[in-house]
């Protein structure tokens, strides 16, 4: 895989460089609530612009239905990119149409343009190879060189991620090079003890990575909504907590394998429970009790790990040499149920080992809870991509960057 440093050594002055970024930022009423993914691509954009390239930045945002939708416009992301660069950024109101060509044609060396949401064109996500290829051809007409730097999308077989690199000289940007380097530390020559913390809502979303980690991790800590399926598999009452009963057989098999392989499987020992799911819009004070994990009332729902669980989880994290964390361990959007997630984040900071926050909701929680993200070993920009890499899957966007 060639890197951007090799491209810069070859020279980019005056060349049109297409940067496939991941500007898929969360928006609330058109306002960006977390610009982490935009900041992540800055080193690549700055380096190219500084070397005289005409930089064309492209990304998806959300899940529009293959047609323009103002709710998913990249304009706010383009404006924020310009603020972070401290320089004007041109914005094209289409992807491959006249506006895109005009924006690119108007660039001078060292300037940057952002084209509209790639998913406004059905060819971006089409499962039909010909349709995707046709859209990739249209994108290729905007550039001389391709730089892949949208790590959050490399697990997608989409036109701008998978097909386009094959039509232009292609290189990996700084973000992708960094992300791959970090993931190799989690899969090759891992320093031990190796602790993995998995949270989030559904155990079905993490089955494949749990399957893989049972042969690699030393400790597997389970929190979030998925923990209640594990507790149910142990025969405990979980009340009205989130539960995937159809996954109980798989969970039982994984618990047996963990014991056989010597992997320490750690579940919550106490939880915060309530009859009412919290109001996530107003953040109104919650009404909850703390109970042992094997004594959840039948009419209540588990919404966070309790104080004893937080201490237990922290003890399994702080002495680890390698820690990977993906998924909040409670409803972290509400302050009364963010304590468990905050405790996990603090334990990562207290650890002397190499710590990785695996993107997605975990990364957002770290920022929203006020932690200094520079203190973690690495905060990934791609939760789904990170998990699939750890599962041992071939990621289309990475395969396309290989020579």
């Amino acid at each position: 895989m060639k890197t951007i440093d090799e491209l810069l050594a070859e020279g980019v002055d005056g060349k049109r460089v297409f940067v496939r970024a991941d500007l898929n930022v969360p928006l609330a009423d058109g306002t960006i609530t977390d610009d982490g993914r935009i900041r992540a691509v800055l080193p690549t954009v700055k380096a190219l612009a500084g070397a005289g390239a005409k930089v064309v930045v492209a990304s998806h945002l959300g899940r529009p239905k293959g047609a323009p939708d103002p709710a998913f416009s990249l304009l706010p992301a383009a404006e924020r990119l310009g603020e972070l660069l401290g320089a004007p950024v041109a914005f094209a109101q289409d992807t491959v149409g006249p506006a895109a060509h005009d924006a690119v044609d108007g660039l001078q060396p060292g300037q940057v343009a952002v084209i509209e949401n790639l998913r406004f064109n059905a060819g971006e996500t089409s499962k039909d190879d010909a349709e995707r290829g046709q859209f990739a051809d249209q994108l290729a007409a905007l550039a001389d060189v391709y730089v892949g730097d949208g790590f959050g999308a490399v697990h997608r077989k989409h036109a701008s991620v998978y097909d386009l690199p094959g039509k232009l000289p292609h290189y990996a940007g700084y973000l992708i090079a960094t992300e791959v380097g970090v993931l190799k530390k989690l899969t090759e020559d891992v320093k031990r003890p190796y602790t993995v913390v998995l949270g989030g809502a559904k155990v079905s979303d993490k089955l494949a990575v749990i399957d893989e980690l049972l042969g690699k991790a030393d400790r597997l800590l389970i929190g979030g909504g998925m923990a209640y399926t594990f507790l149910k598999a142990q025969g405990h009452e979980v009340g009205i907590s989130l539960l995937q009963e159809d996954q109980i057989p798989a969970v039982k098999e994984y618990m047996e394998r963990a014991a056989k392989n010597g992997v320490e499987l750690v579940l919550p020992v106490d939880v915060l429970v309530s009859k009412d799911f919290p109001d996530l819009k107003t953040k109104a004070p919650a009404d909850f009790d703390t109970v042992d994990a094997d004594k959840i009332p039948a009419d209540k729902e588990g919404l966070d790990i309790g104080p004893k669980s937080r201490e237990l989880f922290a003890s399994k994290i702080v002495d680890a040499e390698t820690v990977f964390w993906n998924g909040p361990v409670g409803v972290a959007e509400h302050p009364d149920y963010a304590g468990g997630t905050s405790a996990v984040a603090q334990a990562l900071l207290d650890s002397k080992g190499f710590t990785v926050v695996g993107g997605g909701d975990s990364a957002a929680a770290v920022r929203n809870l006020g932690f200094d993200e520079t203190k973690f070993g690495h905060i990934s920009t791609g939760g789904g991509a990170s998990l699939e890499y750890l599962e041992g899957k071939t990621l289309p966007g990475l395969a396309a960057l290989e020579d």
Side-chain angles (χ1 to χ4, degrees):
M1 184 184 295
K2 290 185 178 180
T3 68
I4 186 174
D5 284 332
E6 294 173 84
L7 171 60
L8 293 171
E10 295 167 8
V12 293
D13 189 27
K15 290 185 178 180
R16 301 171 302 163
V17 180
F18 187 102
V19 177
R20 201 330 180 163
D22 179 8
L23 308 182
N24 185 28
V25 291
L27 297 170
D29 299 322
T31 300
I32 297 171
T33 58
D34 181 357
D35 66 358
R37 284 175 170 166
I38 301 174
R39 288 185 283 110
V41 78
L42 282 178
T44 290
V45 174
K46 284 183 175 179
L48 291 168
K54 300 176 180 180
V55 186
V56 183
V57 180
S59 176
H60 70 288
L61 192 152
R63 297 179 182 272
K65 305 297 184 181
D69 183 340
F72 296 105
S73 175
L74 273 176
L75 179 58
E79 292 174 340
R80 181 58 179 150
L81 178 61
E83 292 172 358
L84 293 169
L85 289 172
V89 169
F91 179 70
Q93 294 184 331
D94 59 25
T95 54
V96 291
H101 282 273
D102 288 346
V104 175
D105 291 345
L107 290 176
Q108 296 299 312
Q111 293 184 336
V112 180
V114 174
I115 62 174
E116 187 54 285
N117 192 336
L118 292 164
R119 292 185 182 176
F120 283 1
N121 189 304
E124 169 68 0
T125 59
S126 175
K127 295 190 183 330
D128 181 83
D129 292 347
E131 186 177 9
R132 273 200 334 274
Q134 184 179 30
F135 183 50
D137 285 334
Q138 292 176 295
L139 291 172
L142 297 172
D144 305 304
V145 181
Y146 178 94
V147 171
D149 215 31
F151 180 74
V154 294
H155 57 315
R156 306 296 187 191
K157 193 176 182 180
H158 291 169
S160 65
V161 176
Y162 178 74
D163 301 272
L164 182 56
K167 300 178 183 296
L168 295 168
H170 46 271
Y171 302 80
Y174 288 126
L175 175 61
I176 279 187
T178 297
E179 294 272 15
V180 171
V182 165
L183 288 169
K184 285 184 177 179
K185 289 185 178 181
L186 300 178
T187 54
E188 303 171 11
D189 300 320
V190 180
K191 292 185 177 180
R192 300 183 181 280
Y194 178 18
T195 293
V196 176
V197 187
L198 295 178
K202 296 181 179 180
V203 68
S204 58
D205 293 340
K206 306 282 170 67
L207 284 178
V209 74
I210 291 172
D211 183 65
E212 188 71 17
L213 288 169
L214 286 175
K216 294 180 178 175
D218 299 301
R219 302 164 182 159
L220 194 53
L221 282 51
I222 305 293
M226 61 188 291
Y228 302 102
T229 302
F230 279 82
L231 291 170
K232 186 72 172 181
Q234 288 184 327
H236 302 311
E237 170 66 58
V238 297
I240 57 173
S241 305
L242 190 62
L243 174 66
Q244 289 186 286
E245 290 205 49
D246 61 323
Q247 302 299 332
I248 289 177
V251 166
K252 286 182 175 179
E253 191 262 325
Y254 285 165
M255 289 192 292
E256 291 171 2
R257 277 180 52 203
K260 181 179 179 181
N261 293 350
V263 177
E264 188 178 4
L265 183 62
V266 182
L267 299 176
V269 293
D270 62 342
V271 296
L272 274 55
V273 297
S274 176
K275 289 185 178 181
D276 300 309
F277 191 81
D279 187 330
L280 299 180
K281 288 188 177 181
T282 66
K283 307 290 195 297
D287 180 19
F288 63 86
D289 298 311
T290 301
V291 300
D292 290 344
D294 59 355
K295 293 181 174 62
I296 298 175
D299 61 346
K300 292 189 177 182
E301 177 179 11
L303 295 166
D304 193 13
I305 62 172
K308 290 186 289 186
S309 299
R310 296 168 196 177
E311 291 184 13
L312 174 63
F313 277 33
S315 71
K316 304 298 182 181
I317 292 171
V318 293
D319 67 340
E321 289 293 327
T322 305
V323 185
F324 174 74
W325 169 35
N326 181 278
V329 296
V331 185
E333 302 96 319
H334 193 284
D336 290 333
Y337 298 116
T341 299
S342 182
V344 169
Q346 185 61 53
L348 263 73
L349 291 182
D350 294 339
S351 170
K352 304 301 183 186
F354 179 61
T355 59
V356 179
V357 180
D361 293 337
S362 319
V366 163
R367 298 185 182 104
N368 293 338
L369 292 171
F371 288 93
D372 183 350
E373 58 190 284
T374 65
K375 301 298 184 182
F376 295 88
H378 180 70
I379 296 182
S380 179
T381 57
S386 295
L387 289 176
E388 290 199 14
Y389 189 101
L390 293 181
E391 290 167 21
K393 290 184 178 178
T394 297
L395 306 188
L398 297 183
L401 292 175
E402 298 289 350
D403 294 322

